[in-house]
Amino acid sequence: MGALIFACDRVLAVNATTAALTMLLLVLAAATRWGLAEAIFTSVLAVLGFNFFFLPPLGTFTIADPENWVALFVFLVTAVIASQLSATAKRRAEEAIAGRNEVGQLYELSRAMLMDETRDTIRQSVAKAGAILKVPHIAFFDAANGQIYGTLESSGKDSGLTREDMIRVAELGTACGDDHASVTPVRLGAHIVGSLALQGRPLDSAVRESIASLLAINYERVRALDRAAAAEIARRNEEFKSSLLDGLAHDLKTPLTAIRTCVTRLIAIPPRTEEVRQELLSIIDQESERLQASITEAIQLARIESRELHLAREAACAADLIRTAIEDTRDELQSRYEVRVEPPDLVLDADPDLMRRALMQVLENARKYSPPDSPIEVEARSEDGGPVISVSDKGPGIPIDELDRVFEKFFRGRRTTTAVEGTGMGLAIAKGIIEAHGGKIRAANRPGGGAAIVMTLPRTGTSPHE
């Protein structure tokens, strides 16, 4: 202001009107650049300078002409009003920009919440809200399970907010705190699902309510997803039960029907030749064995699920286990099995009977799902993680989305539901036995076609729970 007065008085030698307008422009510039207080201070300096340098008598603060008093008063009022209007416009512009930024942040937050489908969605939503809104401390109290998600507990001493505050707000439905540290009820319609604590950044009540509403919507979405998942699990359980009943009905009814037919034939219509009688007795023997196998599988699976397996671990030769498992499958084409054991004296720390049962189930699965004249490769080898046994076939393979599901009880692939007999218990039994030993089992497709079941056991002397 001093430089402007000096320029108007000494350099340019302008008249009083020009000087007044120039000073008024400077007052407006101060209001636009800084604010109302700075503009009023500049106005007072302008009035004093205008009086001293441009109103007679010059060089004094005395005003001789009464009309100059009016001019001076008008100048002061004009400067103050103009500065106030300019400062108000600036403040509103800043508020508009801040509001636009907050709307943008809320939009980004809503997208982040609604697109998040992780298992820990509520915790992730709270963390994302704090990061997007730049709120140092944010926490959500879930009234349904009494759990707090966020950083309230670690920052409670700094913010002054406590778990009790969040519980009280969730119970009463009344917000507490101020713009810097507050707890807001989270409502879903008329129902309060929890409370939201915000601390570290000033936010007005409308923004806090918006954040709480978004969190409530996401909370309900997560609950809906959980309900849908539970319904899907229930539906799959019903499918499992249906598959079990269908499979058991088939596996039990078919041999029983064959046995009954043969017995009836032997009793009612005695065969004329010994060859026919022996054939009927052979059918009865085979179907009885098949019936016994189905019942044994069901009992074995029930034992595995009830965790009643008791391992009698000992050093077992891998080659002997594989050989006996192949013999017990009673496959007429045992020459199709190609066995490789490396090293030949590979030893497994396992229960021999249960491991033989697991190998039988995997071998039987490979036999069912591969052409009759195709080879089945059985390989046992030692790796860093422990002994590995794999059974590979030349069948149609396993769809990608079923690689993990083939080990579920009663599950049968959609390609072979009707083409292959069985209840879907075999691989589930193998999985239970391998996991009881502390090992892992997985399914994979072979590059050249067919599927492979790979079983990995712990190293000798390793605890199953290590």
Side-chain angles (χ1 to χ4, degrees), residues 241-286:
K241 292 177 183 178
S242 177
S243 299
L244 172 62
L245 292 176
D246 291 343
L248 287 178
H250 182 274
D251 276 18
L252 298 179
K253 185 177 180 180
T254 300
L256 284 174
T257 302
I259 293 171
R260 184 175 178 80
T261 301
C262 293
V263 171
T264 302
R265 172 75 184 278
L266 287 171
I267 295 174
I269 310 175
R272 296 181 180 181
T273 64
E274 181 66 18
E275 182 181 355
V276 174
R277 191 177 73 87
Q278 290 295 332
E279 182 180 354
L280 292 175
L281 291 175
S282 177
I283 293 174
I284 292 174
D285 180 64
Q286 291 177 3

mmCIF file of all heavy atoms in Angstrom, residues 241-286:
data_model
loop_
_atom_site.group_PDB
_atom_site.id
_atom_site.type_symbol
_atom_site.label_atom_id
_atom_site.label_comp_id
_atom_site.label_asym_id
_atom_site.label_seq_id
_atom_site.Cartn_x
_atom_site.Cartn_y
_atom_site.Cartn_z
ATOM 1 N N LYS A 241 -26.090 -85.466 -0.861
ATOM 2 C CA LYS A 241 -26.984 -86.494 -0.324
ATOM 3 C C LYS A 241 -27.700 -87.243 -1.447
ATOM 4 O O LYS A 241 -27.845 -88.461 -1.409
ATOM 5 C CB LYS A 241 -28.010 -85.841 0.611
ATOM 6 C CG LYS A 241 -27.412 -85.280 1.888
ATOM 7 C CD LYS A 241 -28.474 -84.589 2.721
ATOM 8 C CE LYS A 241 -27.853 -83.965 3.979
ATOM 9 N NZ LYS A 241 -28.866 -83.235 4.779
ATOM 10 N N SER A 242 -28.145 -86.466 -2.444
ATOM 11 C CA SER A 242 -28.823 -87.092 -3.576
ATOM 12 C C SER A 242 -27.882 -88.013 -4.335
ATOM 13 O O SER A 242 -28.244 -89.136 -4.709
ATOM 14 C CB SER A 242 -29.379 -86.015 -4.518
ATOM 15 O OG SER A 242 -29.987 -86.600 -5.651
ATOM 16 N N SER A 243 -26.629 -87.527 -4.554
ATOM 17 C CA SER A 243 -25.643 -88.369 -5.242
ATOM 18 C C SER A 243 -25.342 -89.616 -4.430
ATOM 19 O O SER A 243 -25.182 -90.713 -4.985
ATOM 20 C CB SER A 243 -24.360 -87.573 -5.480
ATOM 21 O OG SER A 243 -24.614 -86.448 -6.289
ATOM 22 N N LEU A 244 -25.239 -89.440 -3.104
ATOM 23 C CA LEU A 244 -24.962 -90.596 -2.249
ATOM 24 C C LEU A 244 -26.069 -91.631 -2.353
ATOM 25 O O LEU A 244 -25.822 -92.824 -2.526
ATOM 26 C CB LEU A 244 -24.794 -90.140 -0.799
ATOM 27 C CG LEU A 244 -24.678 -91.261 0.236
ATOM 28 C CD1 LEU A 244 -23.437 -92.099 -0.037
ATOM 29 C CD2 LEU A 244 -24.663 -90.699 1.641
ATOM 30 N N LEU A 245 -27.323 -91.152 -2.254
ATOM 31 C CA LEU A 245 -28.444 -92.077 -2.326
ATOM 32 C C LEU A 245 -28.504 -92.768 -3.680
ATOM 33 O O LEU A 245 -28.721 -93.981 -3.770
ATOM 34 C CB LEU A 245 -29.749 -91.330 -2.045
ATOM 35 C CG LEU A 245 -29.923 -90.808 -0.613
ATOM 36 C CD1 LEU A 245 -31.209 -90.008 -0.493
ATOM 37 C CD2 LEU A 245 -29.924 -91.961 0.376
ATOM 38 N N ASP A 246 -28.294 -91.976 -4.750
ATOM 39 C CA ASP A 246 -28.316 -92.565 -6.093
ATOM 40 C C ASP A 246 -27.197 -93.586 -6.257
ATOM 41 O O ASP A 246 -27.399 -94.687 -6.782
ATOM 42 C CB ASP A 246 -28.181 -91.479 -7.157
ATOM 43 C CG ASP A 246 -29.409 -90.583 -7.225
ATOM 44 O OD1 ASP A 246 -30.460 -90.997 -6.685
ATOM 45 O OD2 ASP A 246 -29.314 -89.487 -7.798
ATOM 46 N N GLY A 247 -25.977 -93.178 -5.816
ATOM 47 C CA GLY A 247 -24.839 -94.075 -5.973
ATOM 48 C C GLY A 247 -24.978 -95.331 -5.143
ATOM 49 O O GLY A 247 -24.750 -96.449 -5.619
ATOM 50 N N LEU A 248 -25.367 -95.144 -3.860
ATOM 51 C CA LEU A 248 -25.533 -96.315 -3.010
ATOM 52 C C LEU A 248 -26.660 -97.210 -3.498
ATOM 53 O O LEU A 248 -26.565 -98.443 -3.468
ATOM 54 C CB LEU A 248 -25.793 -95.872 -1.569
ATOM 55 C CG LEU A 248 -24.596 -95.308 -0.805
ATOM 56 C CD1 LEU A 248 -25.016 -94.872 0.590
ATOM 57 C CD2 LEU A 248 -23.471 -96.328 -0.726
ATOM 58 N N ALA A 249 -27.745 -96.557 -3.945
ATOM 59 C CA ALA A 249 -28.865 -97.346 -4.467
ATOM 60 C C ALA A 249 -28.413 -98.188 -5.655
ATOM 61 O O ALA A 249 -28.774 -99.371 -5.772
ATOM 62 C CB ALA A 249 -30.012 -96.426 -4.876
ATOM 63 N N HIS A 250 -27.611 -97.581 -6.525
ATOM 64 C CA HIS A 250 -27.137 -98.316 -7.692
ATOM 65 C C HIS A 250 -26.156 -99.413 -7.291
ATOM 66 O O HIS A 250 -26.266 -100.569 -7.721
ATOM 67 C CB HIS A 250 -26.474 -97.352 -8.681
ATOM 68 C CG HIS A 250 -26.007 -98.005 -9.940
ATOM 69 N ND1 HIS A 250 -24.768 -98.600 -10.041
ATOM 70 C CD2 HIS A 250 -26.614 -98.172 -11.146
ATOM 71 C CE1 HIS A 250 -24.621 -99.104 -11.248
ATOM 72 N NE2 HIS A 250 -25.725 -98.844 -11.946
ATOM 73 N N ASP A 251 -25.167 -99.034 -6.443
ATOM 74 C CA ASP A 251 -24.130 -99.990 -6.080
ATOM 75 C C ASP A 251 -24.645 -101.112 -5.194
ATOM 76 O O ASP A 251 -24.037 -102.189 -5.138
ATOM 77 C CB ASP A 251 -22.986 -99.268 -5.366
ATOM 78 C CG ASP A 251 -22.008 -98.669 -6.366
ATOM 79 O OD1 ASP A 251 -22.398 -98.523 -7.537
ATOM 80 O OD2 ASP A 251 -20.874 -98.363 -5.964
ATOM 81 N N LEU A 252 -25.725 -100.866 -4.463
ATOM 82 C CA LEU A 252 -26.279 -101.912 -3.619
ATOM 83 C C LEU A 252 -27.366 -102.702 -4.337
ATOM 84 O O LEU A 252 -27.455 -103.935 -4.207
ATOM 85 C CB LEU A 252 -26.840 -101.307 -2.333
ATOM 86 C CG LEU A 252 -25.837 -100.598 -1.420
ATOM 87 C CD1 LEU A 252 -26.543 -100.029 -0.201
ATOM 88 C CD2 LEU A 252 -24.721 -101.533 -0.989
ATOM 89 N N LYS A 253 -28.176 -101.968 -5.091
ATOM 90 C CA LYS A 253 -29.304 -102.636 -5.741
ATOM 91 C C LYS A 253 -28.855 -103.543 -6.876
ATOM 92 O O LYS A 253 -29.379 -104.656 -7.052
ATOM 93 C CB LYS A 253 -30.271 -101.577 -6.277
ATOM 94 C CG LYS A 253 -31.546 -102.167 -6.869
ATOM 95 C CD LYS A 253 -32.483 -101.058 -7.309
ATOM 96 C CE LYS A 253 -33.767 -101.651 -7.904
ATOM 97 N NZ LYS A 253 -34.686 -100.574 -8.346
ATOM 98 N N THR A 254 -27.852 -103.085 -7.658
ATOM 99 C CA THR A 254 -27.404 -103.877 -8.808
ATOM 100 C C THR A 254 -26.858 -105.239 -8.396
ATOM 101 O O THR A 254 -27.298 -106.269 -8.922
ATOM 102 C CB THR A 254 -26.357 -103.096 -9.611
ATOM 103 O OG1 THR A 254 -26.940 -101.880 -10.078
ATOM 104 C CG2 THR A 254 -25.875 -103.909 -10.805
ATOM 105 N N PRO A 255 -25.889 -105.315 -7.457
ATOM 106 C CA PRO A 255 -25.415 -106.657 -7.065
ATOM 107 C C PRO A 255 -26.482 -107.485 -6.364
ATOM 108 O O PRO A 255 -26.546 -108.708 -6.548
ATOM 109 C CB PRO A 255 -24.234 -106.364 -6.144
ATOM 110 C CG PRO A 255 -24.415 -104.966 -5.687
ATOM 111 C CD PRO A 255 -25.113 -104.258 -6.789
ATOM 112 N N LEU A 256 -27.335 -106.820 -5.554
ATOM 113 C CA LEU A 256 -28.400 -107.578 -4.892
ATOM 114 C C LEU A 256 -29.355 -108.182 -5.910
ATOM 115 O O LEU A 256 -29.811 -109.325 -5.762
ATOM 116 C CB LEU A 256 -29.160 -106.667 -3.926
ATOM 117 C CG LEU A 256 -28.450 -106.347 -2.601
ATOM 118 C CD1 LEU A 256 -29.254 -105.329 -1.809
ATOM 119 C CD2 LEU A 256 -28.237 -107.619 -1.777
ATOM 120 N N THR A 257 -29.672 -107.407 -6.952
ATOM 121 C CA THR A 257 -30.556 -107.914 -8.000
ATOM 122 C C THR A 257 -29.926 -109.100 -8.711
ATOM 123 O O THR A 257 -30.590 -110.129 -8.985
ATOM 124 C CB THR A 257 -30.876 -106.803 -9.003
ATOM 125 O OG1 THR A 257 -31.474 -105.702 -8.321
ATOM 126 C CG2 THR A 257 -31.814 -107.302 -10.093
ATOM 127 N N ALA A 258 -28.624 -108.975 -9.028
ATOM 128 C CA ALA A 258 -27.933 -110.068 -9.707
ATOM 129 C C ALA A 258 -27.875 -111.313 -8.833
ATOM 130 O O ALA A 258 -28.096 -112.449 -9.295
ATOM 131 C CB ALA A 258 -26.532 -109.624 -10.101
ATOM 132 N N ILE A 259 -27.588 -111.119 -7.543
ATOM 133 C CA ILE A 259 -27.517 -112.256 -6.623
ATOM 134 C C ILE A 259 -28.879 -112.941 -6.503
ATOM 135 O O ILE A 259 -28.991 -114.173 -6.571
ATOM 136 C CB ILE A 259 -27.016 -111.785 -5.237
ATOM 137 C CG1 ILE A 259 -25.556 -111.334 -5.324
ATOM 138 C CG2 ILE A 259 -27.158 -112.897 -4.197
ATOM 139 C CD1 ILE A 259 -25.046 -110.664 -4.067
ATOM 140 N N ARG A 260 -29.903 -112.100 -6.331
ATOM 141 C CA ARG A 260 -31.249 -112.670 -6.185
ATOM 142 C C ARG A 260 -31.666 -113.424 -7.449
ATOM 143 O O ARG A 260 -32.282 -114.500 -7.388
ATOM 144 C CB ARG A 260 -32.244 -111.562 -5.870
ATOM 145 C CG ARG A 260 -33.654 -112.081 -5.615
ATOM 146 C CD ARG A 260 -34.584 -110.962 -5.199
ATOM 147 N NE ARG A 260 -35.929 -111.454 -5.016
ATOM 148 C CZ ARG A 260 -36.391 -112.097 -3.939
ATOM 149 N NH1 ARG A 260 -35.553 -112.337 -2.923
ATOM 150 N NH2 ARG A 260 -37.640 -112.505 -3.849
ATOM 151 N N THR A 261 -31.338 -112.854 -8.621
ATOM 152 C CA THR A 261 -31.705 -113.518 -9.876
ATOM 153 C C THR A 261 -31.023 -114.876 -9.993
ATOM 154 O O THR A 261 -31.655 -115.888 -10.371
ATOM 155 C CB THR A 261 -31.314 -112.633 -11.062
ATOM 156 O OG1 THR A 261 -31.993 -111.381 -10.951
ATOM 157 C CG2 THR A 261 -31.674 -113.300 -12.380
ATOM 158 N N CYS A 262 -29.727 -114.917 -9.678
ATOM 159 C CA CYS A 262 -28.987 -116.174 -9.771
ATOM 160 C C CYS A 262 -29.500 -117.209 -8.769
ATOM 161 O O CYS A 262 -29.628 -118.405 -9.093
ATOM 162 C CB CYS A 262 -27.496 -115.924 -9.560
ATOM 163 S SG CYS A 262 -26.711 -114.957 -10.882
ATOM 164 N N VAL A 263 -29.766 -116.773 -7.524
ATOM 165 C CA VAL A 263 -30.264 -117.702 -6.510
ATOM 166 C C VAL A 263 -31.625 -118.247 -6.916
ATOM 167 O O VAL A 263 -31.913 -119.452 -6.778
ATOM 168 C CB VAL A 263 -30.318 -117.007 -5.141
ATOM 169 C CG1 VAL A 263 -31.038 -117.880 -4.119
ATOM 170 C CG2 VAL A 263 -28.914 -116.699 -4.645
ATOM 171 N N THR A 264 -32.501 -117.353 -7.403
ATOM 172 C CA THR A 264 -33.824 -117.794 -7.855
ATOM 173 C C THR A 264 -33.706 -118.817 -8.980
ATOM 174 O O THR A 264 -34.434 -119.825 -9.025
ATOM 175 C CB THR A 264 -34.649 -116.581 -8.319
ATOM 176 O OG1 THR A 264 -34.750 -115.651 -7.241
ATOM 177 C CG2 THR A 264 -36.044 -117.009 -8.756
ATOM 178 N N ARG A 265 -32.773 -118.554 -9.888
ATOM 179 C CA ARG A 265 -32.561 -119.491 -10.998
ATOM 180 C C ARG A 265 -32.086 -120.850 -10.485
ATOM 181 O O ARG A 265 -32.547 -121.911 -10.951
ATOM 182 C CB ARG A 265 -31.535 -118.903 -11.954
ATOM 183 C CG ARG A 265 -31.078 -119.866 -13.054
ATOM 184 C CD ARG A 265 -32.131 -120.036 -14.115
ATOM 185 N NE ARG A 265 -31.723 -121.026 -15.099
ATOM 186 C CZ ARG A 265 -30.902 -120.769 -16.125
ATOM 187 N NH1 ARG A 265 -30.410 -119.543 -16.285
ATOM 188 N NH2 ARG A 265 -30.611 -121.725 -16.992
ATOM 189 N N LEU A 266 -31.187 -120.823 -9.507
ATOM 190 C CA LEU A 266 -30.677 -122.086 -8.974
ATOM 191 C C LEU A 266 -31.759 -122.873 -8.248
ATOM 192 O O LEU A 266 -31.795 -124.111 -8.289
ATOM 193 C CB LEU A 266 -29.508 -121.818 -8.019
ATOM 194 C CG LEU A 266 -28.181 -121.389 -8.658
ATOM 195 C CD1 LEU A 266 -27.198 -120.950 -7.583
ATOM 196 C CD2 LEU A 266 -27.585 -122.533 -9.478
ATOM 197 N N ILE A 267 -32.672 -122.146 -7.559
ATOM 198 C CA ILE A 267 -33.709 -122.829 -6.778
ATOM 199 C C ILE A 267 -34.881 -123.255 -7.653
ATOM 200 O O ILE A 267 -35.331 -124.406 -7.621
ATOM 201 C CB ILE A 267 -34.195 -121.919 -5.635
ATOM 202 C CG1 ILE A 267 -33.049 -121.669 -4.644
ATOM 203 C CG2 ILE A 267 -35.376 -122.538 -4.914
ATOM 204 C CD1 ILE A 267 -33.390 -120.677 -3.565
ATOM 205 N N ALA A 268 -35.402 -122.310 -8.441
ATOM 206 C CA ALA A 268 -36.632 -122.591 -9.192
ATOM 207 C C ALA A 268 -36.378 -123.406 -10.452
ATOM 208 O O ALA A 268 -37.160 -124.302 -10.796
ATOM 209 C CB ALA A 268 -37.315 -121.271 -9.550
ATOM 210 N N ILE A 269 -35.309 -123.078 -11.164
ATOM 211 C CA ILE A 269 -35.017 -123.765 -12.423
ATOM 212 C C ILE A 269 -33.588 -124.308 -12.324
ATOM 213 O O ILE A 269 -32.634 -123.648 -12.743
ATOM 214 C CB ILE A 269 -35.160 -122.827 -13.634
ATOM 215 C CG1 ILE A 269 -36.499 -122.093 -13.588
ATOM 216 C CG2 ILE A 269 -35.019 -123.592 -14.944
ATOM 217 C CD1 ILE A 269 -36.669 -121.065 -14.684
ATOM 218 N N PRO A 270 -33.408 -125.466 -11.744
ATOM 219 C CA PRO A 270 -32.054 -126.026 -11.590
ATOM 220 C C PRO A 270 -31.365 -126.150 -12.939
ATOM 221 O O PRO A 270 -31.980 -126.578 -13.920
ATOM 222 C CB PRO A 270 -32.310 -127.398 -10.974
ATOM 223 C CG PRO A 270 -33.656 -127.281 -10.329
ATOM 224 C CD PRO A 270 -34.449 -126.364 -11.187
ATOM 225 N N PRO A 271 -30.113 -125.689 -13.015
ATOM 226 C CA PRO A 271 -29.384 -125.762 -14.289
ATOM 227 C C PRO A 271 -29.165 -127.213 -14.709
ATOM 228 O O PRO A 271 -28.986 -128.110 -13.876
ATOM 229 C CB PRO A 271 -28.060 -125.063 -13.978
ATOM 230 C CG PRO A 271 -27.905 -125.179 -12.503
ATOM 231 C CD PRO A 271 -29.287 -125.154 -11.926
ATOM 232 N N ARG A 272 -29.235 -127.412 -16.003
ATOM 233 C CA ARG A 272 -29.089 -128.770 -16.525
ATOM 234 C C ARG A 272 -27.636 -129.225 -16.560
ATOM 235 O O ARG A 272 -27.362 -130.433 -16.561
ATOM 236 C CB ARG A 272 -29.682 -128.831 -17.940
ATOM 237 C CG ARG A 272 -31.187 -128.563 -17.967
ATOM 238 C CD ARG A 272 -31.717 -128.667 -19.400
ATOM 239 N NE ARG A 272 -33.160 -128.413 -19.422
ATOM 240 C CZ ARG A 272 -33.899 -128.448 -20.537
ATOM 241 N NH1 ARG A 272 -33.307 -128.697 -21.708
ATOM 242 N NH2 ARG A 272 -35.193 -128.218 -20.488
ATOM 243 N N THR A 273 -26.703 -128.271 -16.622
ATOM 244 C CA THR A 273 -25.284 -128.642 -16.705
ATOM 245 C C THR A 273 -24.508 -128.029 -15.557
ATOM 246 O O THR A 273 -24.909 -127.015 -14.964
ATOM 247 C CB THR A 273 -24.675 -128.167 -18.027
ATOM 248 O OG1 THR A 273 -24.704 -126.740 -18.066
ATOM 249 C CG2 THR A 273 -25.453 -128.714 -19.229
ATOM 250 N N GLU A 274 -23.398 -128.659 -15.227
ATOM 251 C CA GLU A 274 -22.525 -128.156 -14.173
ATOM 252 C C GLU A 274 -21.892 -126.833 -14.561
ATOM 253 O O GLU A 274 -21.644 -125.965 -13.714
ATOM 254 C CB GLU A 274 -21.431 -129.200 -13.887
ATOM 255 C CG GLU A 274 -20.449 -128.801 -12.776
ATOM 256 C CD GLU A 274 -21.131 -128.721 -11.427
ATOM 257 O OE1 GLU A 274 -22.245 -129.290 -11.249
ATOM 258 O OE2 GLU A 274 -20.572 -128.083 -10.526
ATOM 259 N N GLU A 275 -21.668 -126.637 -15.855
ATOM 260 C CA GLU A 275 -21.059 -125.385 -16.331
ATOM 261 C C GLU A 275 -21.954 -124.190 -16.045
ATOM 262 O O GLU A 275 -21.484 -123.140 -15.585
ATOM 263 C CB GLU A 275 -20.796 -125.506 -17.831
ATOM 264 C CG GLU A 275 -20.113 -124.269 -18.421
ATOM 265 C CD GLU A 275 -19.874 -124.410 -19.916
ATOM 266 O OE1 GLU A 275 -20.149 -125.493 -20.471
ATOM 267 O OE2 GLU A 275 -19.395 -123.420 -20.503
ATOM 268 N N VAL A 276 -23.252 -124.336 -16.279
ATOM 269 C CA VAL A 276 -24.197 -123.240 -16.010
ATOM 270 C C VAL A 276 -24.271 -122.976 -14.515
ATOM 271 O O VAL A 276 -24.320 -121.824 -14.060
ATOM 272 C CB VAL A 276 -25.592 -123.586 -16.574
ATOM 273 C CG1 VAL A 276 -26.607 -122.520 -16.172
ATOM 274 C CG2 VAL A 276 -25.521 -123.714 -18.081
ATOM 275 N N ARG A 277 -24.288 -124.057 -13.712
ATOM 276 C CA ARG A 277 -24.346 -123.865 -12.257
ATOM 277 C C ARG A 277 -23.119 -123.114 -11.750
ATOM 278 O O ARG A 277 -23.225 -122.211 -10.918
ATOM 279 C CB ARG A 277 -24.451 -125.234 -11.591
ATOM 280 C CG ARG A 277 -24.787 -125.155 -10.097
ATOM 281 C CD ARG A 277 -24.951 -126.550 -9.533
ATOM 282 N NE ARG A 277 -23.645 -127.191 -9.412
ATOM 283 C CZ ARG A 277 -22.853 -127.056 -8.339
ATOM 284 N NH1 ARG A 277 -23.232 -126.290 -7.329
ATOM 285 N NH2 ARG A 277 -21.690 -127.669 -8.294
ATOM 286 N N GLN A 278 -21.950 -123.484 -12.242
ATOM 287 C CA GLN A 278 -20.727 -122.802 -11.836
ATOM 288 C C GLN A 278 -20.727 -121.338 -12.266
ATOM 289 O O GLN A 278 -20.257 -120.454 -11.545
ATOM 290 C CB GLN A 278 -19.504 -123.520 -12.428
ATOM 291 C CG GLN A 278 -19.229 -124.873 -11.807
ATOM 292 C CD GLN A 278 -18.855 -124.760 -10.341
ATOM 293 O OE1 GLN A 278 -18.305 -123.745 -9.891
ATOM 294 N NE2 GLN A 278 -19.174 -125.803 -9.568
ATOM 295 N N GLU A 279 -21.282 -121.053 -13.419
ATOM 296 C CA GLU A 279 -21.352 -119.664 -13.900
ATOM 297 C C GLU A 279 -22.254 -118.826 -12.999
ATOM 298 O O GLU A 279 -21.917 -117.685 -12.649
ATOM 299 C CB GLU A 279 -21.878 -119.648 -15.330
ATOM 300 C CG GLU A 279 -21.937 -118.239 -15.920
ATOM 301 C CD GLU A 279 -22.461 -118.233 -17.355
ATOM 302 O OE1 GLU A 279 -22.671 -119.333 -17.917
ATOM 303 O OE2 GLU A 279 -22.647 -117.127 -17.884
ATOM 304 N N LEU A 280 -23.399 -119.405 -12.599
ATOM 305 C CA LEU A 280 -24.306 -118.669 -11.706
ATOM 306 C C LEU A 280 -23.651 -118.437 -10.347
ATOM 307 O O LEU A 280 -23.768 -117.359 -9.749
ATOM 308 C CB LEU A 280 -25.616 -119.443 -11.542
ATOM 309 C CG LEU A 280 -26.497 -119.536 -12.796
ATOM 310 C CD1 LEU A 280 -27.706 -120.426 -12.523
ATOM 311 C CD2 LEU A 280 -26.951 -118.153 -13.242
ATOM 312 N N LEU A 281 -22.958 -119.454 -9.833
ATOM 313 C CA LEU A 281 -22.274 -119.288 -8.549
ATOM 314 C C LEU A 281 -21.152 -118.252 -8.644
ATOM 315 O O LEU A 281 -20.898 -117.501 -7.699
ATOM 316 C CB LEU A 281 -21.710 -120.635 -8.087
ATOM 317 C CG LEU A 281 -22.744 -121.683 -7.667
ATOM 318 C CD1 LEU A 281 -22.060 -123.016 -7.346
ATOM 319 C CD2 LEU A 281 -23.553 -121.193 -6.466
ATOM 320 N N SER A 282 -20.478 -118.210 -9.790
ATOM 321 C CA SER A 282 -19.414 -117.215 -9.988
ATOM 322 C C SER A 282 -19.990 -115.796 -9.990
ATOM 323 O O SER A 282 -19.399 -114.874 -9.411
ATOM 324 C CB SER A 282 -18.696 -117.505 -11.307
ATOM 325 O OG SER A 282 -17.710 -116.508 -11.555
ATOM 326 N N ILE A 283 -21.161 -115.625 -10.626
ATOM 327 C CA ILE A 283 -21.815 -114.297 -10.622
ATOM 328 C C ILE A 283 -22.183 -113.903 -9.198
ATOM 329 O O ILE A 283 -21.990 -112.759 -8.777
ATOM 330 C CB ILE A 283 -23.052 -114.319 -11.530
ATOM 331 C CG1 ILE A 283 -22.626 -114.507 -12.999
ATOM 332 C CG2 ILE A 283 -23.865 -113.042 -11.365
ATOM 333 C CD1 ILE A 283 -23.793 -114.672 -13.951
ATOM 334 N N ILE A 284 -22.713 -114.860 -8.436
ATOM 335 C CA ILE A 284 -23.083 -114.566 -7.045
ATOM 336 C C ILE A 284 -21.849 -114.152 -6.249
ATOM 337 O O ILE A 284 -21.887 -113.198 -5.455
ATOM 338 C CB ILE A 284 -23.753 -115.805 -6.414
ATOM 339 C CG1 ILE A 284 -25.115 -116.066 -7.080
ATOM 340 C CG2 ILE A 284 -23.926 -115.609 -4.906
ATOM 341 C CD1 ILE A 284 -25.781 -117.347 -6.611
ATOM 342 N N ASP A 285 -20.740 -114.839 -6.463
ATOM 343 C CA ASP A 285 -19.505 -114.513 -5.746
ATOM 344 C C ASP A 285 -18.994 -113.120 -6.117
ATOM 345 O O ASP A 285 -18.625 -112.327 -5.233
ATOM 346 C CB ASP A 285 -18.451 -115.564 -6.064
ATOM 347 C CG ASP A 285 -17.133 -115.277 -5.355
ATOM 348 O OD1 ASP A 285 -17.104 -115.300 -4.111
ATOM 349 O OD2 ASP A 285 -16.139 -114.986 -6.055
ATOM 350 N N GLN A 286 -18.996 -112.808 -7.414
ATOM 351 C CA GLN A 286 -18.508 -111.499 -7.865
ATOM 352 C C GLN A 286 -19.381 -110.357 -7.341
ATOM 353 O O GLN A 286 -18.876 -109.330 -6.860
ATOM 354 C CB GLN A 286 -18.464 -111.467 -9.395
ATOM 355 C CG GLN A 286 -17.403 -112.366 -10.004
ATOM 356 C CD GLN A 286 -17.448 -112.365 -11.511
ATOM 357 O OE1 GLN A 286 -18.249 -111.650 -12.119
ATOM 358 N NE2 GLN A 286 -16.592 -113.179 -12.139
#
